Amino acid sequence: MIHLLFQSINRPVITKEELICKIVAGHLDIVDRREVEEQLKLLQESAPGYISEKLCLSGDVLIRLNRSSSPESIRAKLVDAV
């Protein structure tokens, strides 16, 4: 889902706030924003080479997706982690 979202905006970087808003807006079954933040944190811990977070000078948190990583290999790592 995150890979497709980054493809749709055609940028390798997005603010954390914008990413969370897009995820919540696109999925009516998600009502708790903290759930999205928690899942995002787990993804970052499980696949640090795929998705990373960086603090900007403005105070915004940017989320960067490594486009050279294949979503299939990341999915396999996540399955192995569970």
Side-chain angles (χ1 to χ4, degrees):
M1 173 172 77
I2 289 184
H3 181 75
L4 295 174
L5 197 138
F6 273 88
Q7 277 184 331
S8 72
I9 63 170
N10 200 24
R11 292 182 293 167
V13 176
I14 188 172
T15 65
K16 186 174 187 177
E17 181 68 26
E18 185 180 0
L19 177 62
I20 291 170
C21 286
K22 285 185 179 291
I23 291 171
V24 171
H27 292 82
L28 299 176
D29 58 325
I30 300 175
V31 292
D32 189 0
R33 200 186 146 80
R34 288 175 292 177
E35 179 184 346
V36 176
E37 290 173 352
E38 183 179 314
Q39 292 296 320
L40 188 57
K41 182 178 177 181
L42 287 172
L43 180 59
Q44 290 170 331
E45 291 171 358
S46 302
Y50 179 63
I51 189 166
S52 59
E53 190 174 283
K54 188 172 187 172
L55 183 63
C56 281
L57 293 175
S58 66
D60 290 334
V61 177
L62 296 179
I63 302 291
R64 181 182 178 277
L65 190 71
N66 182 352
R67 290 187 175 181
S68 64
S69 298
S70 100
E72 292 79 23
S73 67
I74 300 305
R75 192 173 297 118
K77 283 183 188 177
L78 294 174
V79 168
D80 290 342
V82 176

